[in-house]
Amino acid sequence: MATPAEALLSASLGLVGGVLGAVAIERLKAGVASLEAEFVRLDTVEDELFEIFEMPADIADRSSALRRLVSKRRRLGQNIRRKVIDGEAYKSCKAQLVLLDGLLAKAEDAVPLTDDIERDIEAAIARLRSQLRRSSKTAKAFAFLRGDA
């Protein structure tokens, strides 16, 4: 039979472990929500980039749409930098972000949308999404919990 001190210690450790576990799960859930927000941002950037390419060059709203999209792309890059912890994985993401910057420059120059540009946009977004799924802090936490890390 346990002494009162041992029972108190056991209960305290159980409480602390439960609180720490709950905190870890909440952080993981927040990480998943944050990662999902980045996927939504990626989809938005892709959709808006296609819309800008389809806009005629002489429409006044085109320049404001381009400024908003450049701002979203910049924010996307900042968020990816925080989420991707591995240097090599970030370099791969950065390469796709630079490709998106080049596509934005083409949109600013009112280059017409071609099949090649369309494929480049879709491929860059797909590679960014894939890289984020594999390399984000949240993905690393899931791998650790599964025992894959």
Side-chain angles (χ1 to χ4, degrees):
M1 187 161 156
T3 64
E6 290 172 339
L8 182 61
L9 178 64
S10 177
S12 297
L13 289 176
L15 179 65
V16 168
V19 168
L20 290 176
V23 167
I25 288 173
E26 287 303 313
R27 284 192 53 119
L28 192 56
K29 285 172 35 181
V32 168
S34 177
L35 194 57
E36 287 299 318
E38 292 313 312
F39 292 147
V40 169
R41 186 171 280 119
L42 272 171
D43 291 339
T44 302
V45 166
E46 180 181 24
D47 293 342
E48 289 182 12
L49 189 55
F50 279 124
E51 288 173 10
I52 288 173
F53 269 108
E54 292 172 356
M55 281 184 186
D58 57 350
I59 290 182
D61 292 340
R62 192 174 204 299
S63 62
S64 63
L66 271 166
R67 280 193 303 276
R68 281 192 310 271
L69 186 56
V70 166
S71 175
K72 286 179 184 179
R73 203 309 274 146
R74 189 176 312 117
R75 175 69 188 247
L76 179 67
Q78 292 168 348
N79 291 345
I80 287 174
R81 180 68 191 131
R82 284 194 300 271
K83 286 177 180 27
V84 177
I85 54 178
D86 180 35
E88 290 301 314
Y90 178 70
K91 286 179 185 176
S92 176
C93 289
K94 182 70 175 172
Q96 299 313 308
L97 292 170
V98 168
L99 178 60
L100 283 176
D101 288 341
L103 293 166
L104 277 167
K106 287 180 180 182
E108 288 174 355
D109 294 340
V111 173
L113 182 65
T114 63
D115 289 341
D116 289 338
I117 291 174
E118 187 174 341
R119 277 192 299 273
D120 288 346
I121 293 170
E122 290 170 350
I125 297 295
R127 283 190 294 261
L128 271 171
R129 184 177 287 113
S130 173
Q131 197 66 35
L132 274 174
R133 270 201 185 99
R134 288 192 322 259
S135 304
S136 70
K137 293 176 186 176
T138 302
K140 298 286 185 188
F142 275 126
F144 176 75
L145 290 175
R146 285 191 313 258
D148 298 339

